[in-house]
Amino acid sequence: PLTPEFNPLNTGTYNVTVPNDIDNIDLLAEPDVETTTIAGTGNKQLKTGNNLFELITTSENGETETYTVNIFRERNSNAYLTNIKVSDSSKDYVLTPEFDKETITYNTQVDVGVTTVTITATPEVDTTTYKLLDNNKIKIGDNIKRVMAIAEDGSTKTYTINIYRPASDNNNLADITTNAGTLTPEFD
């Protein structure tokens, strides 16, 4: 409902509040007499916060009046993610359990030798942002990485990813060379 209640003699500002999931609205107006024209009606895109729209009426003799409608789109309070991805330069790693926005703790194992990962997230609502609370370095053993989703209204939800990196058990040489002489037997 408009606030204040509509009065054709009040050409001031009228206010209405809509939930965040409303991102456009049809702004309609009817003239008091059919010879009056109205400019400014139609479908209006809404940003979060205040959205001011003017309705300008023109009477048959050319006189104009301006009515202002302030549509306040509430801030997003959705701090959910729809996906978290952990990857290195060559592959994506599977999270367990399978991602669900209500589950806040996940596990994965990276390959031997991985020293950094990239963690990306997808917010459920496009006005929600996210940030990584920890660096992207990976050490041998257990690593905890956290992703915080931040809604427009400041609501947050933190997801935790437990990343395990095994130690290599390979103690072999890849090659042996000398700057003089021949190695016997030949190194394979």
Side-chain angles (χ1 to χ4, degrees), residues 81 83-87 95 118-122 130 132 147 161:
L81 299 176
N83 189 40
I84 296 175
K85 183 171 125 181
V86 177
S87 60
L95 296 180
T118 300
I119 299 172
T120 56
T122 306
Y130 72 90
L132 304 179
V147 179
I161 307 150

Side-chain angles (χ1 to χ4, degrees), residues 86-169:
V86 177
S87 60
D88 65 26
S89 61
S90 63
K91 72 188 266 188
D92 295 341
Y93 294 96
V94 176
L95 296 180
T96 56
E98 186 175 320
F99 191 84
D100 179 290
K101 69 181 182 179
E102 298 288 346
T103 303
I104 60 170
T105 303
Y106 296 91
N107 301 298
T108 194
Q109 180 172 316
V110 297
D111 295 336
V112 170
V114 171
T115 57
T116 61
V117 292
T118 300
I119 299 172
T120 56
T122 306
E124 188 170 62
V125 177
D126 65 357
T127 54
T128 295
T129 60
Y130 72 90
K131 70 178 180 178
L132 304 179
L133 300 179
D134 306 288
N135 65 38
N136 64 346
K137 302 211 180 301
I138 299 295
K139 62 180 176 35
I140 294 171
D142 295 320
N143 298 266
I144 296 174
K145 305 300 176 186
R146 296 166 301 149
V147 179
M148 178 186 285
I150 307 157
E152 275 181 317
D153 72 352
S155 302
T156 63
K157 186 170 192 77
T158 301
Y159 295 83
T160 301
I161 307 150
N162 298 308
I163 302 173
Y164 179 74
R165 177 186 153 202
S168 172
D169 61 358

